[in-house]
Amino acid sequence: MNQASDKTEPRDEDIFWAFGKTENAVMLVDGDGRMTRANPAANALAARALPAEAPDRLLSLLPAEAWTVARETGRWAGEIVANDVVIEIILHCGEREGVAQSIVTFDDVSLRNARQVELQQRHDELQAAHRRLAGAQEQLLQSEKMASIGLLAAGVAHEINNPIGYVHSNLGTLQEYIGALFALIECHEAVLQSDDPVAGRNDVLAKRERLDIDFILGDLPKLMVESREGIERVTKIVQDLKDFSYVGRGEEMRPSDLHKGLESTLNIVWNDLKYKARVEKHYGELPLVECHPSEINQVLMSLLINAGQSIENRGSIDIATGAENGEAWISIADTGCGIAPEMAQRIFEPFYTTKPIGRGTGLGLAIAYRIVAKHCGRIEVSSQPGVGSTFRVVLPVMQPEREAATPPEA
Ligand SMILES: Nc1ncnc2c1ncn2[C@@H]1O[C@H](COP(=O)(O)OP(=O)(O)O)[C@@H](O)[C@H]1O
Ligand SMILES: [Mg+2]
């Protein structure tokens, strides 16, 4: 034990050796503020900060208050700049064997400061790059959505054309009917204004028979209802498309009806699916789910389009929904080609596609994954080649941080 303490107690020559070797600049100063010793590091620093001057000139850089403070409290610390060199200075005032003595250490922090500035610059650059990336990602999301809408445009046009077609043809028929009704009214008026209206009664009846008014009276309301439905269908599709292309950037998530989203998404992709697949719905009970509905619609659209594209000739797509344990799920199962096990882990990679150019971008699932992850949810996949695939989107009914913010019920 004694031996150990002996070894930790430095001898004078060791201290002298260390004073000469250390890279920290140290000066000893007498009671009058005159330098008595400077180690080589202090001399080197003085040469950098005050070239062509004696090393003790470094002391003249200390503000007068440094000495007052250090004499009163024992210590002063501060920073000075000389010749672009930033020096951190610590001054200790004390006594040695009854004689006032001070020690001053100098630390050249220019390099450290420069590094810090550089680090800050790098950090700012990284932050800017991150912002740019986030913007680009948002754009990518939007452009994939637009690309899928582009793919769907032909189908949507067809969906709209169909009702417009029969509304147009109905209008033609209605015009003929109105002509006939006007002709009958004219006949009525002529008879009423004649000298013997009673005698003209048979003329009116004959005219009515000839114009097939009974048929018209039966058919006209039907045509009106059908036309109205057609216009409503067009309005609905246009509304769905508008909801769909809507970008809710920066908006808060809101409690949303996923069934409604499913229906309007189905409406948009319907033309792509209807010739390929029988679509069956097994909707369960769903609470309102806190989400960005237009983003979730985009996920559902990607899954539905993929399901449709996976079916070569004819098959079926089963859509089921349900909720349990604070989570809501939507599953979309197809009887399509399925996914080979070795490919299964790649399908969420951006630009991974097995489809020809123009049909696949390889972004659908990558973006769907990102959207669902942002909602703190997950996408589960099970698939068997040649049999079909099931994609299941699971979302928390309430977003986690919101849940924490909700006060406990009284
Ligand atoms: N329902 C599905 N059935 C079979 N394969 C699928 C299905 N959904 C996705 N895939 C596979 O995953 C790949 C990536 O899908 P996605 O990201 O939507 O891109 P894209 O549809 O543009 O190819 C598809 O090319 C396909 O090979
Ligand atoms: Mg796709």
Side-chain angles (χ1 to χ4, degrees), residues 40-221:
N43 289 332
L45 175 64
R48 275 204 307 283
L50 300 169
E53 295 198 45
D56 65 351
R57 292 286 299 151
L58 267 183
L59 292 174
S60 68
L61 297 174
L62 281 165
E65 128 244 344
W67 291 103
T68 327
V69 172
R71 280 189 188 117
E72 268 170 26
T73 67
R75 184 179 186 273
W76 175 88
E79 203 176 88
I80 55 144
V81 181
N83 198 25
D84 283 343
V85 184
V86 185
I87 308 169
E88 231 172 54
I89 303 179
I90 300 175
L91 167 61
H92 284 282
C93 285
E95 276 184 8
R96 197 168 106 85
E97 291 162 359
V99 181
Q101 191 171 41
S102 305
I103 174 167
V104 194
T105 56
F106 302 87
D107 193 2
D108 179 353
V109 293
S110 321
L111 213 62
R112 200 164 78 198
N113 288 1
R115 280 220 187 100
Q116 213 150 20
V117 168
E118 198 183 300
L119 261 180
Q120 184 63 42
Q121 250 168 12
R122 290 253 168 89
H123 178 257
D124 291 348
E125 276 166 21
L126 266 178
Q127 226 169 16
H130 181 258
R131 268 197 302 276
R132 278 199 302 277
L133 258 179
Q137 210 167 22
E138 187 68 49
Q139 251 172 6
L140 201 66
L141 192 97
Q142 189 59 10
S143 65
E144 156 74 8
K145 189 151 86 177
M146 288 306 166
S148 0
I149 288 183
L151 279 178
L152 291 170
V156 170
H158 179 89
E159 277 302 282
I160 290 178
N161 231 0
N162 200 26
I164 295 266
Y166 65 71
V167 168
H168 187 253
S169 124
N170 285 359
L171 278 176
T173 313
L174 285 170
Q175 201 170 14
E176 280 170 28
Y177 289 177
I178 287 169
L181 289 172
F182 276 148
L184 186 67
I185 290 170
E186 268 166 26
C187 178
H188 265 277
E189 272 179 3
V191 168
L192 280 176
Q193 280 164 14
S194 70
D195 300 334
D196 186 0
V198 180
R201 186 174 177 272
N202 283 339
D203 285 351
V204 173
L205 288 179
K207 185 97 179 173
R208 190 189 156 105
E209 185 77 34
R210 209 169 47 243
L211 290 171
D212 222 354
I213 296 298
D214 283 334
F215 176 78
I216 290 177
L217 289 183
D219 198 35
L220 196 142

Side-chain angles (χ1 to χ4, degrees), residues 231-251:
I231 296 291
E232 272 161 12
R233 170 131 185 86
V234 171
T235 312
K236 180 93 182 63
I237 292 171
V238 170
Q239 184 57 47
D240 287 344
L241 266 181
K242 247 168 63 186
D243 285 352
F244 212 88
S245 47
Y246 173 77
V247 198
R249 196 169 299 157
E251 241 181 41

Side-chain angles (χ1 to χ4, degrees), residues 306-307 309-310 334 337-339 347 352-355 360-366 389 391:
N306 282 348
Q309 288 175 336
S310 77
D334 62 63
C337 58
I339 303 161
I347 59 175
Y352 174 78
T353 179
T354 53
K355 295 167 194 171
T361 58
L363 285 176
L365 286 180
S389 318
F391 284 75

